[in-house]
Amino acid sequence: MSLIGNIIWLIFGGFISGLGYIVGGLATCLTIIGIPFGLQAIKLGFATMTPFGKQNLVLDSFSSPLTLIFNVIWVIFFGWEIALSHLIHGLILLITIIGIPFAQQHFKLIPMALFPFGREFR
């Protein structure tokens, strides 16, 4: 199911969405201050491209003070918009029965979009 789900996901918007995150992350990496945030955007882009069959893991570094600071900055400047986008797209996909598995993938990406530092998508 995960292979077919990922293929359908990529065809109907996952590739473009993930590519947008990756290009935005590369642009953010052009500044020295933006490198950690750009790397997280790139990580989110790869997670967005193939979400089926993967889970959101919280790493041990999630509770460190530096991770907390970076996550707060991320939520203020980037995270809430990305999470809101995944929430809206997930709610729209819940309207149809066929869209339910894809809505679940959007909902699975929300914690990663809000707090990407100290998280991994495997």
Side-chain angles (χ1 to χ4, degrees):
M1 172 62 187
S2 62
L3 177 65
I4 294 169
N6 281 328
I7 291 171
I8 294 170
W9 178 274
L10 285 170
I11 292 171
F12 290 104
F15 180 75
I16 299 294
S17 181
L19 192 63
Y21 288 132
I22 292 169
V23 169
L26 290 173
T28 307
C29 282
L30 292 175
T31 65
I32 293 173
I33 295 172
I35 290 174
F37 302 104
L39 293 176
Q40 297 307 312
I42 292 169
K43 181 171 75 173
L44 187 58
F46 284 118
T48 302
M49 282 198 185
T50 55
F52 282 90
K54 295 183 180 175
Q55 56 185 340
N56 193 348
L57 301 173
V58 177
L59 304 175
D60 293 334
S61 65
F62 187 74
S63 60
S64 75
L66 187 60
T67 302
L68 176 67
I69 291 168
F70 279 155
N71 275 330
V72 168
I73 293 170
W74 176 272
V75 166
I76 292 170
F77 289 107
F78 312 108
W80 70 272
E81 296 100 340
I82 297 170
L84 184 63
S85 170
H86 284 298
L87 178 66
I88 291 170
H89 287 104
L91 291 174
I92 291 170
L93 285 167
L94 278 177
I95 294 172
T96 64
I97 294 174
I98 295 171
I100 292 173
F102 300 99
Q104 290 173 338
Q105 302 313 307
H106 275 292
F107 296 146
K108 186 166 57 173
L109 289 167
I110 290 174
M112 180 91 168
L114 277 175
F115 306 111
F117 291 93
R119 290 187 185 266
E120 199 168 286
F121 209 65
R122 288 192 225 171

